[in-house]
Amino acid sequence: FVIVPIAGDYYSHEGVIDLNESLQKATRGNPSLQVLGYLMTRFDIRTRISKQSLDLMKEKYGDLAFSSVIRELAAIKSSPALRLTVYEFEPNGDGAADYTAFTEEVVERLA
């Protein structure tokens, strides 16, 4: 399975078009390859472009769009610099909650 991340901006959608073309080519060699879903990342609720990007993703990919989003958060940006996961860096924070919700959704789709 493939999970396609889409950042909450305009240009990321352009990149996904190219990626989808590559995935179509890859399925010729691996017919069992499937997109599990499209995940909105770097989502900033304060910006209109993030909201528009999320709406566009839901419109284009329908049921393949994960309902979970990964927000643009300091903990997610900072933890890699300290070589920590977001769960180690801020276990009760919003970043950990976002990834937990996403993980639960992935497990549900795979079941």
Side-chain angles (χ1 to χ4, degrees), residues 16-98:
V16 172
I17 291 168
D18 294 338
L19 176 64
N20 284 336
E21 290 173 7
S22 296
L23 287 172
Q24 286 178 349
K25 292 175 186 173
T27 57
R28 290 184 206 136
N30 182 359
S32 63
L33 183 67
Q34 299 174 42
V35 173
L36 186 62
Y38 295 83
L39 173 67
M40 179 62 50
T41 63
R42 299 184 61 206
F43 181 77
D44 187 342
I45 196 159
R46 301 168 298 175
T47 66
R48 187 179 330 174
I49 190 64
S50 279
K51 292 174 191 168
Q52 290 171 338
S53 184
L54 180 60
D55 290 343
L56 179 61
M57 182 187 77
K58 288 178 179 180
E59 179 184 312
K60 285 177 85 170
Y61 304 112
D63 290 340
L64 285 175
F66 285 102
S67 38
S68 305
V69 298
I70 306 300
R71 291 174 280 179
E72 181 86 355
L73 299 167
I76 293 173
K77 288 181 175 180
S78 302
S79 58
L82 301 172
R83 297 182 188 261
L84 297 172
T85 68
V86 69
Y87 296 103
E88 295 166 324
F89 184 79
E90 198 172 79
N92 298 316
D94 290 337
D98 287 357

